[in-house]
Amino acid sequence: MWSLLLLHPFWNLVLSCILLISAFPGADASDISIAVSNMTLTATKFTPEVLLTAPRRSPAIPNAKGTKALFTVTTYSFETHRKTSQIRLLDVESGQSTLLVDDLSASEPTWIGDDEFLYLKSGEKGNTTVLVDKIARPGSQAYEVTTIKARISNIKIKELTNGTVAFVCSASATPDGQLSNPATAKKPYSSAKVYTSLFVRHWDEWLGEDKNSLWYTALEKKNGRFTLTGHGLVNALAGSKLESPVPPFGGTGDFDISPTGLVFVAKDPELNPALYTKTDLYYVPLKTFTEEQPPSPQIVETPGLEGYTNSPVFSHCGRKVAFTRMRSKQYESDKPRLMLLPDIGDLSKTEEFFATDDGEGAWDYRPETILWSADDKSLYVTAEKNARVHLWEVPSNPADARDTPSVIMTADGSVNDIRLLAEADSSSKLLVTSTSLVDNSCYSIVDPSANTTDILSSNSKQGKTFGLSRSSIGDITFKGAGDYDVHALVVRPSNFDEKKKYPLCFLIHGGPQGAWQDGWSNRWNPAVFAEQGYVVVSPNPTGSTGYGMALQNGIKGQWGGRPYEDLVKAFEHIEENMPYVDTDRAVALGASYGGYMINWIQGHPLGRKFKALVCHDGVFSTLNQWSTEELFFPIHDFEGTIYDNRAGYEKWDPAQHVNEWATPQLIIHSELDYRLPITEGLAPFNVLQSKGIPSKLVMFPDENHWVLKPENSLVWHEQVLAWINKYSGVEKETQEVREMAVVEDKRQKPM
């Protein structure tokens, strides 16, 4: 019956509407029409098109009373080849949402009262307009606060004691500290770029003279409308050589504001960012946020800790700051330590939570997001454990944090944002945004005191809109290469039958200090592969985060050693313990370090276990790691520079084993990937072609380390799935099912 439905577009559309209406019980007509117009295929089967056209929601931001929440939703249509973007209002009691702004140029909605919100609108010539609107009559009462002749982003606001509102944002600054606007800047006649020091390009761009900076001003309300006070935007970092947010991924998590001033994270200007990871916490005292000349940033001291600093957050009283800090200045994945600055008036005294005499710390997990409770007595912290990002509660005084924290119950999957539901409510209920392997956005209300969670709104009705469910998700644990266990996530097809056998799809994660998580991904989504007819196994071997620092740090100097042996053990475990998995038709895929491992596997016995391999932006030769931009990465992982420890690089070089390569392989690489330049994709393709091994190269000239553009992502999925389906036999099986459905359809039609 279902196979026949898939052949009839009319019934697909009808079923799509039914599924979408049931998934959004409080949705209005605009909700449903948007979803239907953008989901080009029905969710009877979770396909790449469904993945890429599914509405994407931002975290929900509650107002001060906790009755409403703002969020954005973006969609993409392969029919119109256009993106849409909306600002929406969520009613916390009913879970229903209403449309506030329907404008692709509108972004970053922020509460500026219980019934008013502020947002940005990008315009022509690189300008940005700041608008304020009311939730009661959206659109009809929106008014302009100011227009800034530059692109601004990452806005934060805070009410001050004098009744004004502090406004801070990020924007690019010229070398002399002025707002930078590339759209109106004079263009040079030559395209030459000249450098005399390290760090000439980063992620996907060649570096220029302009730098990120933080800008402040204040807003005051006159005659019912907010206006700018003082002298407009002031560069808080002017003349300091500091840059914040830290590129390429820094945002609002790199700074915070309070009535006492501004704290922010910035790289140490005295250390070359290509060689060192050190970022420090700085404080700029501000009383009115109208100061024309800001005080010089003051550094917060953390003796013995010299690595990345992240997530600074002021307490509600405005005198304390919680943040994280790493120890090593050349290890980007070192363990973050939860830190406290007890008094903003004394920047020389900071305290570490769970500190131990040996410096390792008693809590073996990695704190990320930090939120103060309403009474400032607790910190709510997110940290990864066993492939899930959990929520934890910690006393806000390090002296009281004697026991390691326990997990607070949240919705299935991984937490990616936490907010106080109502700032004035001492109960400290939280509005939590999370995702899972079957749901791309879930809003829930969490009560830490009762350790309960209530789902408020699920974007996909917990996977049902996509035809997915938690019953398809599982875990396995097996012995690794040493005296430790290795964990893997398992995703089965939605129509799984344990009496049948399904080819294995073996996914290898990047990082290498990373992990497959029970969380949504728009780039590497296991459900897309599972719905093709695979059992997907995603191991987290040596080097993976979330299983303690010993397992994570075990990859140092071991790139092709312990992780490879763990993957061999994983394959053997699947062969011996999962009878419904057909390992004779297995395929393996990996990106970044996972791509390195695909190339390493090609030259080793495990490579002969797979019918086909897929390498996305991988490493062909470890000797070429010095063509990357952040050199501290290979210096740490290969235990030295290439000139001091060449043998350490050569030991784990996939190019040393190309004589053993034999398995068909698809290679995907992008021109703007400056972390792993495109030659790392061209070289293995040339080897495969020269040896007569079936191979294909897919290149994206306008993508970086990730394929992000929807049209490109669709091609990526089509190429990857076609490749593995061909060699695993899934393509043949699919064709046979289609032919049988056509025969059945003809048989049932009257003569």
Side-chain angles (χ1 to χ4, degrees):
M1 177 65 175
W2 292 113
S3 61
L4 292 176
L5 277 177
L6 286 171
L7 298 174
H8 295 281
F10 172 77
W11 291 111
N12 278 343
L13 180 60
V14 171
L15 188 56
S16 290
C17 293
I18 294 171
L19 286 167
L20 287 164
I21 292 169
S22 66
F24 298 94
D28 56 24
S30 61
D31 280 314
I32 298 169
S33 63
I34 288 164
V36 170
S37 66
N38 283 280
M39 294 189 72
T40 57
L41 291 183
T42 178
T44 53
K45 182 177 180 180
F46 187 62
T47 64
E49 289 88 346
V50 173
L51 168 70
L52 298 173
T53 57
R56 303 183 186 186
R57 303 194 304 189
S58 69
I61 307 171
N63 61 2
K65 292 181 179 178
T67 57
K68 309 288 183 181
L70 295 168
F71 68 96
T72 62
V73 58
T74 60
T75 56
Y76 187 82
S77 169
F78 288 110
E79 296 174 353
T80 63
H81 307 286
R82 294 181 62 187
K83 178 182 177 182
T84 63
S85 180
Q86 297 182 340
I87 298 174
R88 301 191 69 83
L89 181 71
L90 180 70
D91 182 80
V92 172
E93 182 177 355
S94 67
Q96 294 182 344
S97 76
T98 54
L99 176 65
L100 296 177
V101 180
D102 188 358
D103 189 341
L104 187 59
S105 64
S107 64
E108 300 197 40
T110 305
W111 291 104
I112 196 165
D114 275 321
D115 61 353
E116 287 183 297
F117 65 100
L118 176 151
Y119 65 97
L120 304 180
K121 181 178 173 63
S122 57
E124 297 180 351
K125 298 182 179 180
N127 293 343
T128 306
T129 300
V130 181
L131 295 166
V132 170
D133 203 349
K134 289 184 179 292
I135 61 173
R137 296 178 60 192
S140 61
Q141 296 182 344
Y143 63 87
E144 177 183 326
V145 177
T146 185
T147 292
I148 299 164
K149 295 181 178 180
R151 288 282 186 247
I152 69 169
S153 59
N154 299 312
I155 57 174
K156 279 191 175 182
I157 63 174
K158 186 73 175 182
E159 186 174 351
L160 303 178
T161 54
N162 62 1
T164 63
V165 176
F167 178 97
V168 177
C169 65
S170 68
S172 185
T174 61
D176 62 355
Q178 302 301 307
L179 274 170
S180 170
N181 188 345
T184 57
K186 184 178 179 181
K187 303 297 187 292
Y189 293 106
S190 169
S191 62
K193 298 180 183 297
V194 180
Y195 300 92
T196 58
S197 65
L198 279 175
F199 214 53
V200 300
R201 60 185 190 177
H202 196 199
W203 193 248
D204 58 5
E205 66 176 355
W206 291 84
L207 299 185
E209 294 183 323
D210 293 350
K211 304 294 183 184
N212 290 345
S213 196
L214 296 172
W215 305 75
Y216 66 82
T217 187
L219 309 177
E220 62 178 344
K221 203 167 191 179
K222 292 182 177 179
N223 300 320
R225 292 193 171 196
F226 284 98
T227 60
L228 253 64
T229 64
H231 306 276
L233 289 181
V234 177
N235 186 350
L237 314 186
S240 67
K241 298 183 180 180
L242 299 174
E243 182 175 19
S244 187
V246 179
F249 305 120
T252 54
D254 279 3
F255 68 95
D256 200 21
I257 55 177
S258 81
T260 63
L262 165 70
V263 289
F264 66 92
V265 171
K267 287 271 191 179
D268 186 333
E270 303 304 318
L271 296 178
N272 192 291
L275 297 174
Y276 298 97
T277 61
K278 186 171 184 278
T279 57
D280 293 304
L281 182 63
Y282 296 87
Y283 172 56
V284 177
L286 297 168
K287 294 181 178 179
T288 64
F289 284 79
T290 59
E291 290 87 344
E292 188 174 359
Q293 294 295 329
S296 297
Q298 305 168 27
I299 196 168
V300 176
E301 298 179 18
T302 56
L305 302 176
E306 298 184 306
Y308 277 130
T309 304
N310 280 305
S311 307
V313 185
F314 273 109
S315 60
H316 291 88
C317 70
R319 299 299 303 174
K320 303 177 181 180
V321 180
F323 61 103
T324 66
R325 186 81 199 247
M326 295 182 184
R327 180 169 56 182
S328 172
K329 62 182 178 182
Q330 278 192 315
Y331 184 20
E332 65 173 357
S333 299
D334 197 8
K335 183 174 76 172
R337 319 302 176 93
L338 187 60
M339 305 291 295
L340 177 72
L341 176 64
D343 186 352
I344 200 69
D346 186 354
L347 305 183
S348 66
K349 294 180 180 179
T350 54
E351 302 174 22
E352 179 182 343
F353 290 79
F354 312 112
T356 56
D357 292 339
D358 62 5
E360 296 299 323
W363 196 35
D364 207 20
Y365 297 108
R366 303 166 51 86
E368 298 173 3
T369 304
I370 304 171
L371 177 71
W372 289 84
S373 64
D375 58 10
D376 284 344
K377 293 181 179 180
S378 296
L379 298 176
Y380 300 110
V381 179
T382 64
E384 180 187 16
K385 178 183 179 183
N386 296 351
R388 278 94 180 171
V389 178
H390 295 284
L391 179 63
W392 317 69
E393 184 174 3
V394 180
S396 62
N397 183 356
D400 297 330
R402 300 180 184 90
D403 300 322
T404 55
S406 56
V407 172
I408 298 172
M409 180 181 294
T410 56
D412 289 329
S414 294
V415 175
N416 61 12
D417 189 80
I418 48 175
R419 312 269 176 163
L420 283 177
L421 182 61
E423 291 185 4
D425 187 352
S426 60
S427 67
S428 285
K429 286 186 179 180
L430 309 176
L431 180 55
V432 175
T433 302
S434 60
T435 71
S436 73
L437 283 167
V438 301
D439 191 2
N440 66 348
S441 173
C442 179
Y443 303 147
S444 58
I445 297 175
V446 173
D447 185 345
S449 61
N451 199 21
T452 60
T453 183
D454 295 309
I455 293 177
L456 175 63
S457 170
S458 168
N459 201 31
S460 66
K461 201 175 181 183
Q462 296 170 279
K464 291 180 181 179
T465 304
F466 301 142
L468 305 175
S469 73
R470 292 299 299 180
S471 63
S472 297
I473 311 303
D475 303 73
I476 58 173
T477 302
F478 51 91
K479 285 294 179 184
D483 186 22
Y484 55 87
D485 290 334
V486 175
H487 173 248
L489 291 168
V490 178
V491 180
R492 297 176 291 270
S494 57
N495 61 352
F496 175 73
D497 183 347
E498 63 180 7
K499 297 178 181 178
K500 296 181 179 180
K501 297 198 74 167
Y502 301 85
L504 169 66
C505 180
F506 200 69
L507 299 184
I508 307 172
H509 70 68
Q513 292 87 3
W516 295 115
Q517 294 180 351
D518 185 356
W520 192 260
S521 172
N522 291 305
R523 293 182 290 112
W524 284 85
N525 193 305
V528 166
F529 300 99
E531 292 303 281
Q532 294 289 309
Y534 295 92
V535 169
V536 182
V537 178
S538 306
N540 285 328
T542 296
S544 299
T545 55
Y547 300 91
M549 294 305 296
L551 186 75
Q552 178 187 312
N553 293 338
I555 197 172
K556 184 178 182 181
Q558 282 283 320
W559 263 39
R562 279 179 52 184
Y564 172 77
E565 294 300 329
D566 290 343
L567 296 176
V568 171
K569 297 287 187 182
F571 197 92
E572 292 173 348
H573 177 88
I574 296 166
E575 285 182 307
E576 297 168 3
N577 297 279
M578 301 174 72
Y580 52 85
V581 177
D582 187 350
T583 53
D584 290 334
R585 296 195 292 147
V587 295
L589 307 86
S592 196
Y593 171 80
Y596 159 87
M597 185 53 72
I598 291 294
N599 290 335
W600 183 259
I601 284 172
Q602 261 282 25
H604 291 79
L606 185 57
R608 308 294 78 80
K609 296 281 190 178
F610 297 105
K611 292 295 185 183
L613 302 171
V614 177
C615 174
H616 172 103
D617 287 11
V619 176
F620 172 65
S621 175
T622 50
L623 298 178
N624 295 337
Q625 283 289 282
W626 276 62
S627 62
T628 192
E629 7 87 290
E630 294 178 341
L631 293 174
F632 52 75
F633 177 74
I635 290 174
H636 174 272
D637 275 22
F638 293 100
E639 302 180 297
T641 64
I642 195 170
Y643 42 88
D644 288 330
N645 185 28
R646 185 181 181 90
Y649 289 78
E650 291 177 338
K651 183 176 182 179
W652 308 117
D653 188 357
Q656 300 274 10
H657 304 277
V658 293
N659 57 309
E660 301 295 332
W661 287 25
T663 302
Q665 182 167 329
L666 169 66
I667 293 175
I668 304 174
H669 225 98
S670 300
E671 285 272 18
L672 299 182
D673 185 356
Y674 297 157
R675 178 141 301 187
L676 290 168
I678 195 168
T679 50
E680 292 296 278
L682 291 171
F685 177 68
N686 291 346
V687 169
L688 291 161
Q689 286 285 306
S690 297
K691 296 191 67 167
I693 301 170
S695 50
K696 181 187 287 189
L697 172 67
V698 178
M699 188 278 287
F700 295 97
D702 56 345
E703 298 283 4
N704 54 36
H705 200 53
W706 302 327
V707 176
L708 300 176
K709 296 179 174 64
E711 301 286 351
N712 287 345
S713 184
L714 182 59
V715 171
W716 184 96
H717 281 88
E718 290 171 343
Q719 291 289 333
V720 168
L721 294 177
W723 184 261
I724 62 175
N725 290 352
K726 174 183 177 180
Y727 288 99
S728 67
V730 167
E731 179 184 67
K732 182 179 178 181
E733 290 177 347
T734 303
Q735 182 60 33
E736 290 174 350
V737 169
R738 288 173 179 166
E739 291 173 355
M740 290 174 61
V742 171
V743 171
E744 179 68 14
D745 189 30
K746 289 181 178 179
R747 188 185 68 80
Q748 293 189 9
K749 286 182 178 179
M751 296 297 292

